[in-house]
Amino acid sequence: MTLSASGVSWSAGGVEILKDVSLTVETGEFLGIIGPNGSGKTSLMSLISGIRKPKRGEVLLDGCPIGTLGRRTVAQRLALVEQQAETGERITARQAVELGRTPYLGPLSPWSPEDDAIVGAALANVDMAHLADRLWHTLSGGERQRLHIARALAQQSKILLLDEPTNHLDIGHQISLLDLVRRQDLTVVAALHDLNHAAMFCDRIAVMQAGRLVALGRPREVLTVERIRAVFGIEVEVEHEFDGSCSIRYRARRPRPLAAIAAVGA
């Protein structure tokens, strides 16, 4: 199962949000997309998921233009977890995860014990089985986010798209969920804010800046001091580990001494 974008561009309100972006997601890899707010991460996720149609270029899912495939076909091959997905319906946590089985249900394929088992396993994987009967509106933001992940796992697609999946989660659940996703037999594309998460879990990282793809490669190739400074405007130290991985240490901007400020103004 392959997913690729070829020269895709997208505009909103007369403003070009994405500009000639091309990338191919390798089967079985964990691809991270990073970049500052407004760099085009979410817009790119919307295009490669088929939610939006590019103004120029095309997105191919398993070699076929994604816009030519039916919604059920796309949903059976690709699952998306968006940043914000809420409902006003009075549904339980389990019922929210059961929605992941919708692409497989029909008059000739009603709900089955196998569907029950898949949903139960997905709830257990995100540590939400004990809250399966709780109503959606009584759950915290972090609990709802974990259910979104469970719903995507219950969908059993081969490609999983995650748009900032660790929003609202405490650090323990951030790490455990990314680790869970990494251990699945899936192709994963995740838009991430935390550079250390990208370094820790991603096979490759795509860097977005002002709507353009400015770098694509392995974490230690992409996460350099110079590139992080140029893209994010921050100073860091990058530590390289013996196993080829790397980690980012952020350096706080120190206020200028009062004497130096006075000297400048003199």
PDB file of all heavy atoms in Angstrom, residues 201-233:
ATOM      1  N   PHE A 201      10.645   8.547  17.162  1.00  0.00           N
ATOM      2  CA  PHE A 201       9.749   7.552  16.587  1.00  0.00           C
ATOM      3  C   PHE A 201       9.762   7.476  15.062  1.00  0.00           C
ATOM      4  O   PHE A 201       9.332   6.477  14.505  1.00  0.00           O
ATOM      5  CB  PHE A 201       8.309   7.828  17.052  1.00  0.00           C
ATOM      6  CG  PHE A 201       8.102   7.606  18.527  1.00  0.00           C
ATOM      7  CD1 PHE A 201       8.042   8.669  19.404  1.00  0.00           C
ATOM      8  CD2 PHE A 201       7.998   6.322  19.025  1.00  0.00           C
ATOM      9  CE1 PHE A 201       7.859   8.468  20.761  1.00  0.00           C
ATOM     10  CE2 PHE A 201       7.809   6.104  20.388  1.00  0.00           C
ATOM     11  CZ  PHE A 201       7.750   7.179  21.251  1.00  0.00           C
ATOM     12  N   CYS A 202      10.232   8.518  14.389  1.00  0.00           N
ATOM     13  CA  CYS A 202      10.084   8.566  12.933  1.00  0.00           C
ATOM     14  C   CYS A 202      11.266   7.946  12.195  1.00  0.00           C
ATOM     15  O   CYS A 202      12.419   8.143  12.586  1.00  0.00           O
ATOM     16  CB  CYS A 202       9.908  10.009  12.462  1.00  0.00           C
ATOM     17  SG  CYS A 202       8.411  10.797  13.105  1.00  0.00           S
ATOM     18  N   ASP A 203      10.969   7.236  11.121  1.00  0.00           N
ATOM     19  CA  ASP A 203      12.017   6.731  10.233  1.00  0.00           C
ATOM     20  C   ASP A 203      12.562   7.865   9.366  1.00  0.00           C
ATOM     21  O   ASP A 203      13.763   7.953   9.127  1.00  0.00           O
ATOM     22  CB  ASP A 203      11.470   5.617   9.338  1.00  0.00           C
ATOM     23  CG  ASP A 203      10.962   4.431  10.132  1.00  0.00           C
ATOM     24  OD1 ASP A 203      11.753   3.878  10.924  1.00  0.00           O
ATOM     25  OD2 ASP A 203       9.783   4.064   9.978  1.00  0.00           O
ATOM     26  N   ARG A 204      11.642   8.716   8.891  1.00  0.00           N
ATOM     27  CA  ARG A 204      12.036   9.901   8.129  1.00  0.00           C
ATOM     28  C   ARG A 204      11.193  11.082   8.595  1.00  0.00           C
ATOM     29  O   ARG A 204      10.102  10.894   9.160  1.00  0.00           O
ATOM     30  CB  ARG A 204      11.840   9.700   6.624  1.00  0.00           C
ATOM     31  CG  ARG A 204      12.795   8.735   5.963  1.00  0.00           C
ATOM     32  CD  ARG A 204      12.669   8.804   4.436  1.00  0.00           C
ATOM     33  NE  ARG A 204      11.316   8.507   3.998  1.00  0.00           N
ATOM     34  CZ  ARG A 204      10.778   8.938   2.850  1.00  0.00           C
ATOM     35  NH1 ARG A 204      11.486   9.725   2.045  1.00  0.00           N
ATOM     36  NH2 ARG A 204       9.543   8.596   2.511  1.00  0.00           N
ATOM     37  N   ILE A 205      11.701  12.273   8.330  1.00  0.00           N
ATOM     38  CA  ILE A 205      11.007  13.495   8.727  1.00  0.00           C
ATOM     39  C   ILE A 205      10.933  14.437   7.532  1.00  0.00           C
ATOM     40  O   ILE A 205      11.934  14.665   6.844  1.00  0.00           O
ATOM     41  CB  ILE A 205      11.730  14.200   9.890  1.00  0.00           C
ATOM     42  CG1 ILE A 205      11.737  13.307  11.136  1.00  0.00           C
ATOM     43  CG2 ILE A 205      11.067  15.542  10.208  1.00  0.00           C
ATOM     44  CD1 ILE A 205      12.571  13.870  12.273  1.00  0.00           C
ATOM     45  N   ALA A 206       9.735  14.976   7.296  1.00  0.00           N
ATOM     46  CA  ALA A 206       9.524  16.012   6.287  1.00  0.00           C
ATOM     47  C   ALA A 206       9.379  17.344   7.019  1.00  0.00           C
ATOM     48  O   ALA A 206       8.597  17.447   7.970  1.00  0.00           O
ATOM     49  CB  ALA A 206       8.273  15.717   5.462  1.00  0.00           C
ATOM     50  N   VAL A 207      10.120  18.347   6.588  1.00  0.00           N
ATOM     51  CA  VAL A 207      10.099  19.664   7.234  1.00  0.00           C
ATOM     52  C   VAL A 207       9.357  20.643   6.334  1.00  0.00           C
ATOM     53  O   VAL A 207       9.737  20.844   5.174  1.00  0.00           O
ATOM     54  CB  VAL A 207      11.517  20.181   7.515  1.00  0.00           C
ATOM     55  CG1 VAL A 207      11.454  21.507   8.277  1.00  0.00           C
ATOM     56  CG2 VAL A 207      12.326  19.157   8.300  1.00  0.00           C
ATOM     57  N   MET A 208       8.304  21.258   6.875  1.00  0.00           N
ATOM     58  CA  MET A 208       7.519  22.238   6.142  1.00  0.00           C
ATOM     59  C   MET A 208       7.855  23.647   6.631  1.00  0.00           C
ATOM     60  O   MET A 208       8.030  23.882   7.824  1.00  0.00           O
ATOM     61  CB  MET A 208       6.025  21.986   6.338  1.00  0.00           C
ATOM     62  CG  MET A 208       5.521  20.648   5.821  1.00  0.00           C
ATOM     63  SD  MET A 208       5.631  20.516   4.028  1.00  0.00           S
ATOM     64  CE  MET A 208       4.518  21.841   3.532  1.00  0.00           C
ATOM     65  N   GLN A 209       7.943  24.582   5.694  1.00  0.00           N
ATOM     66  CA  GLN A 209       8.166  25.986   6.026  1.00  0.00           C
ATOM     67  C   GLN A 209       7.461  26.843   4.985  1.00  0.00           C
ATOM     68  O   GLN A 209       7.725  26.715   3.785  1.00  0.00           O
ATOM     69  CB  GLN A 209       9.657  26.324   6.056  1.00  0.00           C
ATOM     70  CG  GLN A 209       9.971  27.753   6.482  1.00  0.00           C
ATOM     71  CD  GLN A 209      11.454  28.026   6.532  1.00  0.00           C
ATOM     72  OE1 GLN A 209      12.255  27.352   5.889  1.00  0.00           O
ATOM     73  NE2 GLN A 209      11.857  29.020   7.314  1.00  0.00           N
ATOM     74  N   ALA A 210       6.543  27.696   5.450  1.00  0.00           N
ATOM     75  CA  ALA A 210       5.812  28.615   4.574  1.00  0.00           C
ATOM     76  C   ALA A 210       5.182  27.896   3.385  1.00  0.00           C
ATOM     77  O   ALA A 210       5.201  28.388   2.257  1.00  0.00           O
ATOM     78  CB  ALA A 210       6.735  29.733   4.089  1.00  0.00           C
ATOM     79  N   GLY A 211       4.607  26.716   3.631  1.00  0.00           N
ATOM     80  CA  GLY A 211       3.895  25.991   2.601  1.00  0.00           C
ATOM     81  C   GLY A 211       4.743  25.137   1.692  1.00  0.00           C
ATOM     82  O   GLY A 211       4.231  24.483   0.781  1.00  0.00           O
ATOM     83  N   ARG A 212       6.048  25.118   1.914  1.00  0.00           N
ATOM     84  CA  ARG A 212       6.947  24.338   1.067  1.00  0.00           C
ATOM     85  C   ARG A 212       7.623  23.224   1.868  1.00  0.00           C
ATOM     86  O   ARG A 212       7.852  23.364   3.073  1.00  0.00           O
ATOM     87  CB  ARG A 212       8.013  25.237   0.438  1.00  0.00           C
ATOM     88  CG  ARG A 212       7.454  26.286  -0.513  1.00  0.00           C
ATOM     89  CD  ARG A 212       8.582  27.018  -1.234  1.00  0.00           C
ATOM     90  NE  ARG A 212       8.075  28.057  -2.116  1.00  0.00           N
ATOM     91  CZ  ARG A 212       7.626  27.844  -3.344  1.00  0.00           C
ATOM     92  NH1 ARG A 212       7.633  26.617  -3.843  1.00  0.00           N
ATOM     93  NH2 ARG A 212       7.180  28.839  -4.095  1.00  0.00           N
ATOM     94  N   LEU A 213       7.938  22.153   1.173  1.00  0.00           N
ATOM     95  CA  LEU A 213       8.736  21.078   1.757  1.00  0.00           C
ATOM     96  C   LEU A 213      10.204  21.457   1.595  1.00  0.00           C
ATOM     97  O   LEU A 213      10.712  21.523   0.481  1.00  0.00           O
ATOM     98  CB  LEU A 213       8.443  19.763   1.043  1.00  0.00           C
ATOM     99  CG  LEU A 213       9.226  18.538   1.512  1.00  0.00           C
ATOM    100  CD1 LEU A 213       8.870  18.185   2.950  1.00  0.00           C
ATOM    101  CD2 LEU A 213       8.947  17.348   0.592  1.00  0.00           C
ATOM    102  N   VAL A 214      10.883  21.734   2.713  1.00  0.00           N
ATOM    103  CA  VAL A 214      12.256  22.236   2.636  1.00  0.00           C
ATOM    104  C   VAL A 214      13.299  21.180   2.991  1.00  0.00           C
ATOM    105  O   VAL A 214      14.495  21.398   2.767  1.00  0.00           O
ATOM    106  CB  VAL A 214      12.444  23.480   3.534  1.00  0.00           C
ATOM    107  CG1 VAL A 214      11.543  24.613   3.054  1.00  0.00           C
ATOM    108  CG2 VAL A 214      12.160  23.162   5.000  1.00  0.00           C
ATOM    109  N   ALA A 215      12.870  20.048   3.538  1.00  0.00           N
ATOM    110  CA  ALA A 215      13.823  18.978   3.855  1.00  0.00           C
ATOM    111  C   ALA A 215      13.059  17.681   4.033  1.00  0.00           C
ATOM    112  O   ALA A 215      11.912  17.665   4.480  1.00  0.00           O
ATOM    113  CB  ALA A 215      14.611  19.294   5.116  1.00  0.00           C
ATOM    114  N   LEU A 216      13.698  16.574   3.676  1.00  0.00           N
ATOM    115  CA  LEU A 216      13.107  15.251   3.831  1.00  0.00           C
ATOM    116  C   LEU A 216      14.240  14.247   3.987  1.00  0.00           C
ATOM    117  O   LEU A 216      15.123  14.147   3.142  1.00  0.00           O
ATOM    118  CB  LEU A 216      12.252  14.887   2.620  1.00  0.00           C
ATOM    119  CG  LEU A 216      11.616  13.491   2.600  1.00  0.00           C
ATOM    120  CD1 LEU A 216      10.650  13.328   3.768  1.00  0.00           C
ATOM    121  CD2 LEU A 216      10.894  13.255   1.277  1.00  0.00           C
ATOM    122  N   GLY A 217      14.248  13.531   5.117  1.00  0.00           N
ATOM    123  CA  GLY A 217      15.313  12.568   5.340  1.00  0.00           C
ATOM    124  C   GLY A 217      15.218  11.958   6.725  1.00  0.00           C
ATOM    125  O   GLY A 217      14.252  12.157   7.455  1.00  0.00           O
ATOM    126  N   ARG A 218      16.250  11.209   7.084  1.00  0.00           N
ATOM    127  CA  ARG A 218      16.295  10.587   8.404  1.00  0.00           C
ATOM    128  C   ARG A 218      16.458  11.657   9.485  1.00  0.00           C
ATOM    129  O   ARG A 218      17.000  12.736   9.213  1.00  0.00           O
ATOM    130  CB  ARG A 218      17.438   9.574   8.476  1.00  0.00           C
ATOM    131  CG  ARG A 218      17.259   8.413   7.509  1.00  0.00           C
ATOM    132  CD  ARG A 218      18.326   7.340   7.699  1.00  0.00           C
ATOM    133  NE  ARG A 218      18.118   6.236   6.774  1.00  0.00           N
ATOM    134  CZ  ARG A 218      17.249   5.251   6.965  1.00  0.00           C
ATOM    135  NH1 ARG A 218      16.517   5.233   8.081  1.00  0.00           N
ATOM    136  NH2 ARG A 218      17.104   4.285   6.092  1.00  0.00           N
ATOM    137  N   PRO A 219      16.003  11.364  10.709  1.00  0.00           N
ATOM    138  CA  PRO A 219      16.043  12.381  11.756  1.00  0.00           C
ATOM    139  C   PRO A 219      17.399  13.060  11.931  1.00  0.00           C
ATOM    140  O   PRO A 219      17.480  14.287  12.007  1.00  0.00           O
ATOM    141  CB  PRO A 219      15.633  11.601  13.013  1.00  0.00           C
ATOM    142  CG  PRO A 219      14.723  10.536  12.500  1.00  0.00           C
ATOM    143  CD  PRO A 219      15.309  10.136  11.170  1.00  0.00           C
ATOM    144  N   ARG A 220      18.489  12.300  11.981  1.00  0.00           N
ATOM    145  CA  ARG A 220      19.791  12.920  12.238  1.00  0.00           C
ATOM    146  C   ARG A 220      20.273  13.738  11.039  1.00  0.00           C
ATOM    147  O   ARG A 220      21.119  14.615  11.185  1.00  0.00           O
ATOM    148  CB  ARG A 220      20.831  11.865  12.626  1.00  0.00           C
ATOM    149  CG  ARG A 220      21.198  10.881  11.557  1.00  0.00           C
ATOM    150  CD  ARG A 220      22.254   9.905  12.090  1.00  0.00           C
ATOM    151  NE  ARG A 220      23.473  10.604  12.484  1.00  0.00           N
ATOM    152  CZ  ARG A 220      24.224  10.284  13.532  1.00  0.00           C
ATOM    153  NH1 ARG A 220      23.874   9.280  14.305  1.00  0.00           N
ATOM    154  NH2 ARG A 220      25.317  10.947  13.813  1.00  0.00           N
ATOM    155  N   GLU A 221      19.719  13.466   9.841  1.00  0.00           N
ATOM    156  CA  GLU A 221      20.060  14.252   8.667  1.00  0.00           C
ATOM    157  C   GLU A 221      19.278  15.562   8.617  1.00  0.00           C
ATOM    158  O   GLU A 221      19.780  16.574   8.125  1.00  0.00           O
ATOM    159  CB  GLU A 221      19.760  13.446   7.391  1.00  0.00           C
ATOM    160  CG  GLU A 221      20.537  12.146   7.269  1.00  0.00           C
ATOM    161  CD  GLU A 221      19.996  11.244   6.186  1.00  0.00           C
ATOM    162  OE1 GLU A 221      18.908  11.535   5.644  1.00  0.00           O
ATOM    163  OE2 GLU A 221      20.660  10.231   5.884  1.00  0.00           O
ATOM    164  N   VAL A 222      18.059  15.529   9.115  1.00  0.00           N
ATOM    165  CA  VAL A 222      17.143  16.665   8.994  1.00  0.00           C
ATOM    166  C   VAL A 222      17.210  17.595  10.207  1.00  0.00           C
ATOM    167  O   VAL A 222      17.164  18.822  10.064  1.00  0.00           O
ATOM    168  CB  VAL A 222      15.702  16.144   8.794  1.00  0.00           C
ATOM    169  CG1 VAL A 222      14.687  17.260   8.959  1.00  0.00           C
ATOM    170  CG2 VAL A 222      15.569  15.498   7.421  1.00  0.00           C
ATOM    171  N   LEU A 223      17.325  17.010  11.397  1.00  0.00           N
ATOM    172  CA  LEU A 223      17.274  17.800  12.628  1.00  0.00           C
ATOM    173  C   LEU A 223      18.667  18.313  12.984  1.00  0.00           C
ATOM    174  O   LEU A 223      19.316  17.852  13.920  1.00  0.00           O
ATOM    175  CB  LEU A 223      16.684  16.962  13.764  1.00  0.00           C
ATOM    176  CG  LEU A 223      15.238  16.517  13.559  1.00  0.00           C
ATOM    177  CD1 LEU A 223      14.796  15.600  14.679  1.00  0.00           C
ATOM    178  CD2 LEU A 223      14.307  17.725  13.454  1.00  0.00           C
ATOM    179  N   THR A 224      19.110  19.292  12.230  1.00  0.00           N
ATOM    180  CA  THR A 224      20.404  19.907  12.496  1.00  0.00           C
ATOM    181  C   THR A 224      20.199  21.246  13.189  1.00  0.00           C
ATOM    182  O   THR A 224      19.125  21.847  13.113  1.00  0.00           O
ATOM    183  CB  THR A 224      21.179  20.132  11.186  1.00  0.00           C
ATOM    184  OG1 THR A 224      20.459  21.075  10.371  1.00  0.00           O
ATOM    185  CG2 THR A 224      21.349  18.835  10.418  1.00  0.00           C
ATOM    186  N   VAL A 225      21.236  21.709  13.848  1.00  0.00           N
ATOM    187  CA  VAL A 225      21.169  23.006  14.534  1.00  0.00           C
ATOM    188  C   VAL A 225      20.806  24.111  13.549  1.00  0.00           C
ATOM    189  O   VAL A 225      19.957  24.968  13.824  1.00  0.00           O
ATOM    190  CB  VAL A 225      22.527  23.317  15.213  1.00  0.00           C
ATOM    191  CG1 VAL A 225      22.556  24.764  15.720  1.00  0.00           C
ATOM    192  CG2 VAL A 225      22.791  22.340  16.350  1.00  0.00           C
ATOM    193  N   GLU A 226      21.443  24.090  12.383  1.00  0.00           N
ATOM    194  CA  GLU A 226      21.229  25.148  11.393  1.00  0.00           C
ATOM    195  C   GLU A 226      19.805  25.137  10.854  1.00  0.00           C
ATOM    196  O   GLU A 226      19.180  26.192  10.718  1.00  0.00           O
ATOM    197  CB  GLU A 226      22.228  24.999  10.241  1.00  0.00           C
ATOM    198  CG  GLU A 226      23.686  25.193  10.616  1.00  0.00           C
ATOM    199  CD  GLU A 226      24.277  23.972  11.335  1.00  0.00           C
ATOM    200  OE1 GLU A 226      23.661  22.877  11.278  1.00  0.00           O
ATOM    201  OE2 GLU A 226      25.350  24.110  11.952  1.00  0.00           O
ATOM    202  N   ARG A 227      19.272  23.946  10.547  1.00  0.00           N
ATOM    203  CA  ARG A 227      17.920  23.894   9.981  1.00  0.00           C
ATOM    204  C   ARG A 227      16.877  24.262  11.021  1.00  0.00           C
ATOM    205  O   ARG A 227      15.894  24.960  10.714  1.00  0.00           O
ATOM    206  CB  ARG A 227      17.627  22.517   9.407  1.00  0.00           C
ATOM    207  CG  ARG A 227      16.220  22.422   8.810  1.00  0.00           C
ATOM    208  CD  ARG A 227      16.035  21.191   7.962  1.00  0.00           C
ATOM    209  NE  ARG A 227      16.778  21.307   6.711  1.00  0.00           N
ATOM    210  CZ  ARG A 227      17.777  20.510   6.369  1.00  0.00           C
ATOM    211  NH1 ARG A 227      18.177  19.567   7.210  1.00  0.00           N
ATOM    212  NH2 ARG A 227      18.389  20.655   5.224  1.00  0.00           N
ATOM    213  N   ILE A 228      17.031  23.807  12.247  1.00  0.00           N
ATOM    214  CA  ILE A 228      16.073  24.148  13.297  1.00  0.00           C
ATOM    215  C   ILE A 228      16.077  25.652  13.549  1.00  0.00           C
ATOM    216  O   ILE A 228      15.025  26.276  13.738  1.00  0.00           O
ATOM    217  CB  ILE A 228      16.385  23.362  14.586  1.00  0.00           C
ATOM    218  CG1 ILE A 228      16.131  21.860  14.347  1.00  0.00           C
ATOM    219  CG2 ILE A 228      15.537  23.857  15.754  1.00  0.00           C
ATOM    220  CD1 ILE A 228      16.591  20.964  15.468  1.00  0.00           C
ATOM    221  N   ARG A 229      17.252  26.250  13.515  1.00  0.00           N
ATOM    222  CA  ARG A 229      17.340  27.710  13.669  1.00  0.00           C
ATOM    223  C   ARG A 229      16.627  28.415  12.521  1.00  0.00           C
ATOM    224  O   ARG A 229      15.856  29.360  12.732  1.00  0.00           O
ATOM    225  CB  ARG A 229      18.799  28.147  13.719  1.00  0.00           C
ATOM    226  CG  ARG A 229      18.965  29.669  13.881  1.00  0.00           C
ATOM    227  CD  ARG A 229      20.416  30.088  13.707  1.00  0.00           C
ATOM    228  NE  ARG A 229      21.273  29.446  14.688  1.00  0.00           N
ATOM    229  CZ  ARG A 229      22.364  28.734  14.380  1.00  0.00           C
ATOM    230  NH1 ARG A 229      22.714  28.561  13.099  1.00  0.00           N
ATOM    231  NH2 ARG A 229      23.096  28.189  15.323  1.00  0.00           N
ATOM    232  N   ALA A 230      16.846  27.939  11.284  1.00  0.00           N
ATOM    233  CA  ALA A 230      16.269  28.599  10.110  1.00  0.00           C
ATOM    234  C   ALA A 230      14.751  28.438  10.046  1.00  0.00           C
ATOM    235  O   ALA A 230      14.032  29.369   9.661  1.00  0.00           O
ATOM    236  CB  ALA A 230      16.904  28.039   8.840  1.00  0.00           C
ATOM    237  N   VAL A 231      14.241  27.275  10.435  1.00  0.00           N
ATOM    238  CA  VAL A 231      12.814  26.994  10.294  1.00  0.00           C
ATOM    239  C   VAL A 231      12.011  27.460  11.501  1.00  0.00           C
ATOM    240  O   VAL A 231      10.932  28.050  11.361  1.00  0.00           O
ATOM    241  CB  VAL A 231      12.596  25.488  10.053  1.00  0.00           C
ATOM    242  CG1 VAL A 231      11.107  25.145  10.068  1.00  0.00           C
ATOM    243  CG2 VAL A 231      13.216  25.070   8.721  1.00  0.00           C
ATOM    244  N   PHE A 232      12.542  27.213  12.705  1.00  0.00           N
ATOM    245  CA  PHE A 232      11.781  27.503  13.920  1.00  0.00           C
ATOM    246  C   PHE A 232      12.256  28.761  14.644  1.00  0.00           C
ATOM    247  O   PHE A 232      11.587  29.233  15.563  1.00  0.00           O
ATOM    248  CB  PHE A 232      11.853  26.311  14.884  1.00  0.00           C
ATOM    249  CG  PHE A 232      11.172  25.077  14.366  1.00  0.00           C
ATOM    250  CD1 PHE A 232      11.880  24.102  13.678  1.00  0.00           C
ATOM    251  CD2 PHE A 232       9.812  24.882  14.562  1.00  0.00           C
ATOM    252  CE1 PHE A 232      11.259  22.960  13.202  1.00  0.00           C
ATOM    253  CE2 PHE A 232       9.174  23.741  14.094  1.00  0.00           C
ATOM    254  CZ  PHE A 232       9.906  22.783  13.402  1.00  0.00           C
ATOM    255  N   GLY A 233      13.420  29.278  14.268  1.00  0.00           N
ATOM    256  CA  GLY A 233      13.921  30.484  14.907  1.00  0.00           C
ATOM    257  C   GLY A 233      14.354  30.285  16.335  1.00  0.00           C
ATOM    258  O   GLY A 233      14.261  31.211  17.153  1.00  0.00           O
TER     259      GLY A 233
END
